Amino acid sequence: MLLFLEQCLNGLQLGLLLFLLSAGLTLIFGIMDLVNLAHGSFYMIGAYFAATFTALTGDFILGAALAIAATVLVGMALEVIAIRRLYGRDHLDHVLGTFGLILFFNELVRLVWGPAGMNVPLPAWLNTHFTILPGVEYPTYRIAIILVTLLVALFMYVLVMRTRVGMLIRAGASNREMVGALGVNINLLYTLVFGLGTGLAGLAGLMQAPILTVQIGMGENILILAFVVIIIGGIGSIRGAFIAAILVGLVDTIGRGFLPDILSLLLPSRSASAISPALSSMLIYLMMAIVLVLRPQGLFPVSNK
Amino acid sequence: MTGLTPRNFIIAALLVILIVLPVYAGIAGKPFLITLFTRIIILAMAAVSLNLIMGYGGMVSFGHAIYIGIGGYVVGILAQEGFLSGFLQWPAALLVSGLFAAAIGALCLRTRGVYFIMITLAFAQLLYYVAVGLDRYGGDDGMTMYTRSEFVRPLNMSDKTQFYYVSLILLFGVMALIWKLINSRFGMVIQGSRSNDLRMQAIGFPTYRYRLVCFVIAGMICGLAGALLANHTEFVSPAMMHWTRSGDLIVMVVLGGMGSVVGPLIGAVALLVLEEALSGITEYWQIILGPMLLLVVLFARGGIDGLLAKVRL
């Protein structure tokens, strides 16, 4: 039971991280109609920046703040130089162009930081355990991740639903030409949205950096998970992304944690231990297939397109 | 389209080069050229099959490399279990990849556009993890094939030149088949459904079935390419169907030119020769290749074949 609680928290944490990535993806898709495969690259870049800046400043929080700022700058620069020219093109062009960008960023990171992975040490005050229930301890850093992502989700909600910029974002998502015709500087809005998306991806990357090794290609596997999230949630819907992200996080983590035990009840233990790792990796893709068969537009389809 | 336009001249030259290449490699003493070009021919076959659904059918599959993996694994697993005959292995590769394509296609074709791109990617990931989980067949590390497929006497797959020509003949056969197919009534329905699916349905064509059959044919051809690739590298591993391989196939098709039968062949030759050349210049060759892809997308719509078609004497 205690293990189950811990796995649920791990799943929640993975889900919230996925939300940071998929919120950016789904915003960029919903507003600019752009399929951005290079989104995972910003997750990686955020983590590398965090490794460098924490080493330079000696302070994790300061390093993280600098890393987010740097990632947003790289993202906005990329939007102005290259991404801007892809708007209004075929989705296939987006896939191909941003696939080229993945190759570019992976190689650039190898050139700048070298092929070896990096580690980000946690400050002592985060590297402790926190007693959530009597007898149940949970790493403080993971709780911090959950709190920060929840705050960011709240910030996103307020930004999109309660501010003028958010109103323009929503208006841009439902009718781009009309927003432009009403005199809004649509180019600037797009650059800001792209910067926001990359900032969220960078934040997700740098928060994972102390838990995992920072390495080249780290953004690609999680990017595919983020795609699964936005397909399940309905492309373009932030609310859908939030719910689907938590669903995917929980199913993936709990599946990995408990599928071997469940299978060993049903099957001879040798075959259970042989198939359960593969099966638990497949679980979320199976979930996506089922959702798409039942609701081809995802759980929360955006109807105004 | 007839006559000696620059495009036809270059295509003819490319075909002649492919046909005489082993002779040249033998005379010049560069046997690695045969290995490189066998690989190019096999991947070109996969790209040609992707073009059938992507260029003509408008179905952008981001998971096409799984059929390379399925074809490869069928051959590899049969070889491991002691079934060495190519007459069994190759048809089995075609059959199994066709079955997988039918199942995947039946689900994916319910969706359109960007959903289709991503759901094919997700199914590819799913099967990738299946391959990683195949402990008996090497799991993550893959497995070595100790013998290539066996055929009747004079035909010997272990002979590099013979294998090259077998691959080349199969590639030409596949391209001829696709040429026939797209100019048939079936091909017209597929292309019509790409332009306006609703209208095709209104005329009375059950386009879902047509598109599914097209998807299965493309999967089977790609499975054949996988069977060839397993024989070529004598090694089968999940990396054969990694999602970046699917990306490479899309690159080949778009780089060469969608919607022409030779386009993907030109694209495969261009991409792989370019990779070979760039990796000779610098270790960090992808830093050049990536932006080049972006430039192709931005400035060379229709790919190399499209550019060639515009050139007039």
Side-chain angles (χ1 to χ4, degrees):
Chain A
M1 192 59 216
L2 296 180
L3 186 66
F4 184 71
L5 183 69
E6 200 177 317
Q7 291 288 8
C8 282
L9 281 172
N10 284 341
L12 183 67
Q13 184 225 321
L14 175 65
L16 286 168
L17 273 175
L18 281 176
F19 168 69
L20 288 185
L21 271 173
S22 33
L25 263 183
T26 209
L27 260 183
I28 289 168
F29 184 84
I31 295 168
M32 286 93 103
D33 197 25
L34 176 87
V35 182
N36 182 18
L37 293 186
H39 202 67
S41 296
F42 293 100
Y43 174 86
M44 172 179 72
I45 289 171
Y48 270 96
F49 275 141
T52 303
F53 287 129
T54 42
L56 278 179
T57 59
D59 183 61
F60 182 69
I61 300 293
L62 186 62
L66 285 173
I68 293 177
T71 313
V72 170
L73 279 182
V74 173
M76 298 213 301
L78 181 73
E79 200 270 349
V80 172
I81 295 168
I83 299 286
R84 183 169 283 185
R85 288 160 229 286
L86 288 171
Y87 299 148
R89 292 294 196 90
D90 198 45
H91 286 148
L92 180 60
D93 288 351
H94 300 164
V95 167
L96 195 63
T98 53
F99 183 72
L101 288 175
I102 294 183
L103 300 182
F104 173 75
F105 280 118
N106 279 348
E107 208 70 302
L108 186 69
V109 165
R110 199 196 315 275
L111 197 66
V112 175
W113 279 281
M118 297 172 88
N119 286 305
V120 177
L122 270 181
W125 59 276
L126 276 174
N127 200 5
T128 54
H129 282 76
F130 186 84
T131 311
I132 32 178
L133 283 177
V136 186
E137 295 216 318
Y138 196 67
T140 313
Y141 182 66
R142 285 177 181 263
I143 292 188
I145 291 182
I146 292 175
L147 290 179
V148 169
T149 39
L150 281 175
L151 276 177
V152 170
L154 186 69
F155 164 77
M156 289 278 294
Y157 174 79
V158 172
L159 179 78
V160 173
M161 304 306 283
R162 291 280 180 269
T163 64
R164 188 174 163 77
V165 173
M167 194 177 70
L168 292 177
I169 288 176
R170 277 180 290 141
S174 48
N175 195 334
R176 251 163 298 161
E177 288 79 10
M178 188 60 86
V179 176
L182 288 172
V184 174
N185 185 345
I186 205 89
N187 282 340
L188 182 66
L189 182 70
Y190 284 1
T191 310
L192 287 178
V193 170
F194 198 83
L196 177 67
T198 52
L200 291 174
L203 176 65
L206 76 89
M207 287 199 300
Q208 280 288 49
I211 301 179
L212 306 168
T213 309
V214 180
Q215 57 190 357
I216 293 157
M218 66 186 280
E220 284 152 25
N221 291 330
I222 199 150
L223 174 82
I224 294 172
L225 285 185
F227 275 139
V228 172
V229 166
I230 65 172
I231 291 176
I232 291 179
I235 301 179
S237 159
I238 295 182
R239 186 176 50 141
F242 185 76
I243 292 167
I246 290 177
L247 204 62
V248 166
L250 286 175
V251 167
D252 191 51
T253 310
I254 294 175
R256 276 173 212 279
F258 295 100
L259 205 61
D261 297 337
I262 297 169
L263 280 181
S264 63
L265 293 178
L266 305 173
L267 296 168
S269 67
R270 265 193 60 198
S271 53
S273 65
I275 64 167
S276 57
L279 193 61
S280 48
S281 302
M282 289 161 54
L283 215 51
I284 53 166
Y285 301 107
L286 283 176
M287 185 166 83
M288 186 192 78
I290 293 168
V291 167
L292 274 183
V293 169
L294 299 176
R295 304 187 65 151
Q297 301 291 308
L299 294 177
F300 297 90
V302 178
S303 53
N304 52 12
K305 293 217 105 173
Chain B
M1 291 295 280
T2 52
L4 196 71
T5 62
R7 173 176 183 264
N8 288 357
F9 178 75
I10 288 178
I11 290 170
L14 180 64
L15 297 186
V16 171
I17 288 173
L18 287 177
I19 291 169
V20 300
L21 187 105
V23 182
Y24 168 76
I27 295 169
K30 292 176 177 166
F32 70 91
L33 276 181
I34 299 185
T35 312
L36 172 67
F37 271 82
T38 309
R39 188 178 144 76
I40 292 178
I41 286 168
I42 293 170
L43 289 177
M45 188 188 289
V48 165
S49 75
L50 176 61
N51 186 38
L52 174 63
I53 51 174
M54 197 167 97
Y56 293 103
M59 298 171 253
V60 182
S61 167
F62 204 155
H64 206 59
I66 42 169
Y67 306 108
I68 295 184
I70 293 169
Y73 265 92
V74 168
V75 170
I77 288 173
L78 285 175
Q80 179 94 336
E81 301 295 343
F83 301 98
L84 297 175
S85 167
F87 291 114
L88 175 71
Q89 287 177 350
W90 293 20
L94 280 172
L95 182 71
V96 175
S97 40
L99 287 176
F100 271 98
I104 293 171
L107 287 172
C108 295
L109 286 173
R110 294 168 52 90
T111 64
R112 296 235 142 211
V114 72
Y115 283 90
F116 185 82
I117 298 177
M118 289 183 189
I119 190 175
T120 46
L121 173 64
F123 272 111
Q125 281 299 100
L126 200 154
L127 286 179
Y128 175 81
Y129 286 119
V130 172
V132 170
L134 288 174
D135 278 339
R136 184 175 161 79
Y137 303 107
D140 212 0
D141 301 326
M143 62 176 162
T144 306
M145 265 177 70
Y146 294 101
T147 39
R148 292 193 178 189
S149 302
E150 286 172 1
F151 285 92
V152 277
R153 239 325 109 191
L155 208 56
N156 179 8
M157 291 297 122
S158 301
D159 181 301
K160 282 196 170 144
T161 311
Q162 274 198 36
F163 185 66
Y164 178 90
Y165 279 115
V166 167
S167 306
L168 189 64
I169 289 167
L170 284 172
L171 174 67
F172 286 166
V174 161
M175 286 169 64
L177 175 78
I178 290 182
W179 173 253
K180 275 279 198 198
L181 207 60
I182 54 157
N183 288 303
S184 68
R185 182 171 171 279
F186 175 83
M188 294 300 160
V189 175
I190 292 295
Q191 292 173 69
S193 141
R194 178 195 59 190
S195 311
N196 193 332
D197 194 49
L198 214 55
R199 189 172 291 174
M200 289 308 286
Q201 287 175 18
I203 298 174
F205 288 105
T207 51
Y208 177 82
R209 272 183 249 160
Y210 276 86
R211 285 151 57 89
L212 184 59
V213 170
C214 187
F215 194 85
V216 171
I217 293 171
M220 290 172 76
I221 294 173
C222 198
L224 178 63
L228 288 173
L229 193 65
N231 274 291
H232 177 57
T233 54
E234 299 178 0
F235 185 69
V236 182
S237 79
M240 286 173 95
M241 50 175 125
H242 194 251
W243 70 279
T244 49
R245 173 63 63 75
S246 300
D248 286 343
L249 292 180
I250 295 183
V251 170
M252 288 173 197
V253 173
V254 179
L255 184 68
M258 279 202 297
S260 86
V261 177
V262 284
L265 171 61
I266 299 175
V269 173
L271 181 73
L272 295 170
V273 170
L274 190 70
E275 276 188 15
E276 197 69 19
L278 285 179
S279 60
I281 300 171
T282 163
E283 186 192 341
Y284 303 103
W285 55 274
Q286 288 191 340
I287 213 163
I288 306 170
L289 184 67
M292 275 175 81
L293 293 181
L294 194 61
L295 290 178
V296 168
V297 170
L298 291 176
F299 301 112
R301 309 202 75 179
I304 298 173
D305 194 32
L307 287 180
L308 288 179
K310 275 186 216 146
V311 181
R312 291 265 173 269
L313 284 175

